Amino acid sequence: MKTSTSSAETRKMPFWAVLFWLLVWQIAAMLMDQPLLLVSPLDTLKRLSSLVLEPIFWKSIAFSVGKIMLGFGLSCLLGIVLAVLAYRFRPVRQLLSPLTATIKAIPVASFVILALLWVSSKNLSVLISVMIGFPVIYLNTLTGLDSIDHKLVEMARVFRVPLGKKLGVVYFSQVLPFLRSGLNVAVGLCWKSGVAAEVIGIPSGSVGQQLYNAKVYLETADLFCWTVVIVLLSVACEKLLMLLFKQAERWALR
Amino acid sequence: MIEIIDLCKAFDGKVVLEHFDLQLEDGQRYALMGTSGSGKTTLLNLIMGLIQPDSGHIIAPQGLKISAVFQENRLIEGMTPAANIRLVAAVDNERIHQVLLALGIEEDSLNQPVSTYSGGMKRRVAIARALLSDYNLLLLDEPYKGLDEETRQQVIAVVEEMSREKTVLMVTHNPEDVRGHQLIEFAE
């Protein structure tokens, strides 16, 4: 209980703290007075308000959200299914152990360059999101499964609890905190790595391409704008995911 | 009737049950007493099928439905008492709350998750769960452990009332609990 309260405290973002850092940013930009190096938050906002009127803005967002979230979805599916198999069958766990350790250690950039040899740049962010999200979800789910209290499983057996309820309540309720934290971390990592893949692979009409163009043409305001957009998209996906997760939790523990 | 014939069980070479025989007649109440480690909980676990005997048999009638209060409460901490009970029993909230109130759980606490409950309150939820599930054999492993005297008497009255005409096998260390039960003494 204490841990979850303190982690909730850590995640809390008070409005005054956000305002403070925006002010620091504004003052730093004003003092530097070099918009090519540091664009102020006000100028970023101004540029963003014109950028949202361009069709390419929404097209790029749709492209990247689609690809990165597809990668995230696949990493969830793969991570959860393999974690259940690894929990059930020891050889699967042993087989996957070096693979997950290696994937975790390889830098994203190496992955991206290697992956460019295998898939088209268009689908690069899908593959990278899967590679980065999978070990996080797999290891969290497996840790959750390993920590299941078998006395509760025995209780369910003695009381003849039906399989659906047993899976939903007895297993899910215990794996839930681990899975929630895994998904939360993985969705952020998928965004970071997915956009990094797009910047390197430059698929046409992606957020990564917009970011790359802004850098090449020294459009620093655009660079800041797209960075803000990426942060907002990542946070929005995380919030939406947690909302869906809460619904699933309510359904399973109903 | 449940027949236990020539049951043997050892853990890591330590014999816990040796050629143990017992007959449990339908609708009778039995109290198992004995020193710690004499095999009382092991016997309950064998009857529940949670562990297998090294030799011997347990002959139970077709359709035997077991309910139990385990040595530990074995509740899902994040759920309310009613949700814990509904997991194992097809009863409505009204009946659940009625039983919980009869067991001395305060009305204000009924919608709180079990994690906020004291040890004694959790014990009473575990007892309510066992009583409300569908069963014909009730196994109780030190069910009144951790309850103060007044609550204990209140809980005993509810258990006796709700398990009337069912077969009950209770493990206890308290000689007072044996009243109304056939005593089975366990020697180490």
Side-chain angles (χ1 to χ4, degrees):
Chain A
M1 262 336 245
K2 205 167 183 179
T3 318
S4 70
T5 314
S6 59
S7 67
E9 279 289 315
T10 316
R11 283 200 305 271
K12 250 188 198 168
M13 211 188 287
F15 180 69
W16 66 264
V18 177
L19 203 67
F20 171 80
W21 289 110
L22 282 173
L23 261 172
V24 169
W25 178 9
Q26 179 69 36
I27 291 165
M30 281 160 72
L31 287 176
M32 273 180 80
D33 197 23
Q34 295 247 21
L36 205 63
L37 293 179
L38 186 65
V39 181
S40 73
L42 282 176
D43 288 338
T44 306
L45 197 67
K46 218 182 287 170
R47 177 68 188 116
L48 191 61
S49 59
S50 63
L51 211 57
V52 293
L53 301 175
E54 295 172 21
I56 188 71
F57 177 83
W58 297 106
K59 271 186 193 161
S60 305
I61 286 178
F63 178 92
S64 295
V65 168
K67 297 288 178 190
I68 292 169
M69 291 321 282
L70 173 65
F72 172 72
L74 290 173
S75 69
C76 288
L77 191 71
L78 204 64
I80 293 168
V81 169
L82 288 177
V84 171
L85 290 175
Y87 172 69
R88 193 75 187 80
F89 307 106
R90 201 166 172 75
V92 177
R93 180 188 294 244
Q94 288 167 334
L95 197 70
L96 289 174
S97 158
L99 183 73
T100 49
T102 310
I103 295 177
K104 267 169 62 188
I106 294 176
V108 179
S110 310
F111 255 143
V112 174
I113 293 161
L114 195 64
L116 263 174
L117 302 173
W118 305 332
V119 292
S120 68
S121 66
K122 208 173 126 189
N123 290 318
L124 186 66
S125 52
V126 179
L127 182 65
I128 294 303
S129 299
V130 173
M131 296 286 226
I132 300 300
F134 158 70
V136 178
I137 293 166
Y138 168 80
L139 289 171
N140 271 271
T141 311
L142 190 56
T143 310
L145 288 167
D146 284 341
S147 70
I148 280 177
D149 181 357
H150 284 277
K151 290 194 181 300
L152 285 179
V153 178
E154 284 180 355
M155 176 277 292
R157 196 172 134 198
V158 170
F159 282 107
R160 307 163 301 281
V161 175
L163 183 67
K165 263 187 168 180
K166 204 192 295 187
L167 287 176
V169 180
V170 180
Y171 283 90
F172 185 64
S173 69
Q174 295 187 76
V175 178
L176 198 99
F178 297 88
L179 189 60
R180 186 195 291 121
S181 114
L183 294 175
N184 210 354
V185 173
V187 75
L189 284 176
C190 283
W191 266 101
K192 278 187 188 180
S193 57
V195 172
E198 286 180 354
V199 171
I200 298 172
I202 330 169
S204 170
S206 66
V207 168
Q209 189 201 29
Q210 305 304 328
L211 209 60
Y212 179 81
N213 288 345
K215 181 230 162 198
V216 168
Y217 301 117
L218 287 176
E219 286 165 345
T220 317
D222 282 23
L223 194 65
F224 275 78
C225 272
W226 281 110
T227 307
V228 169
V229 167
I230 293 162
V231 171
L232 291 176
L233 286 172
S234 174
V235 170
C237 286
E238 192 187 309
K239 297 277 179 214
L240 187 70
L241 183 73
M242 287 304 113
L243 206 71
L244 288 173
F245 200 78
K246 211 162 194 167
Q247 291 298 320
E249 186 180 345
R250 222 173 269 166
W251 175 80
L253 303 181
R254 71 198 182 277
Chain B
M1 186 173 75
I2 297 158
E3 256 188 301
I4 295 164
I5 305 163
D6 202 26
L7 211 60
C8 294
K9 183 70 187 174
F11 294 103
D12 299 325
K14 186 180 182 289
V15 177
V16 179
L17 286 173
E18 199 173 16
H19 305 293
F20 183 82
D21 297 293
L22 181 67
Q23 279 190 0
L24 300 174
E25 301 287 343
D26 292 344
Q28 297 297 307
R29 310 177 81 85
Y30 301 88
L32 283 169
M33 279 192 84
T35 51
S36 296
S38 57
K40 303 183 296 295
T41 299
T42 302
L43 178 65
L44 296 194
N45 286 338
L46 284 162
I47 295 172
M48 287 188 275
L50 297 178
I51 50 173
Q52 296 305 310
D54 297 334
S55 63
H57 304 280
I58 297 174
I59 302 168
Q62 281 281 327
L64 176 73
K65 290 177 193 161
I66 295 176
S67 181
V69 173
F70 299 89
Q71 208 167 44
E72 321 81 8
N73 297 317
R74 305 198 187 191
L75 298 166
I76 296 175
E77 295 278 320
M79 299 197 329
T80 61
N84 266 286
I85 293 167
R86 278 201 314 272
L87 176 67
V88 308
V91 279
D92 57 29
N93 272 356
E94 198 183 333
R95 175 73 181 132
I96 293 171
H97 287 173
Q98 195 185 3
V99 172
L100 288 170
L101 290 171
L103 289 169
I105 303 279
E106 302 276 332
E107 196 161 3
D108 297 349
S109 322
L110 292 176
N111 294 320
Q112 301 294 319
V114 167
S115 57
T116 62
Y117 278 31
S118 69
M121 286 162 83
K122 286 179 187 175
R123 196 66 183 153
R124 281 175 276 167
V125 175
I127 291 170
R129 177 179 64 188
L131 292 173
L132 284 165
S133 82
D134 182 22
Y135 68 93
N136 35 35
L137 172 63
L138 177 62
L139 303 175
L140 305 168
D141 200 345
E142 297 184 55
Y144 313 121
K145 188 176 60 178
L147 302 180
D148 61 65
E149 193 47 41
E150 195 186 331
T151 314
R152 183 185 174 85
Q153 293 308 327
Q154 188 181 358
V155 173
I156 289 174
V158 174
V159 171
E160 286 184 355
E161 168 66 28
M162 289 184 67
S163 61
R164 195 178 288 160
E165 294 175 14
K166 302 282 173 86
T167 311
V168 178
L169 180 59
M170 174 174 63
V171 166
T172 182
H173 286 293
N174 190 338
E176 284 177 31
D177 296 342
V178 178
R179 191 169 40 89
H181 294 70
Q182 292 182 41
L183 179 65
I184 303 159
E185 281 190 88
F186 258 60
E188 200 169 344

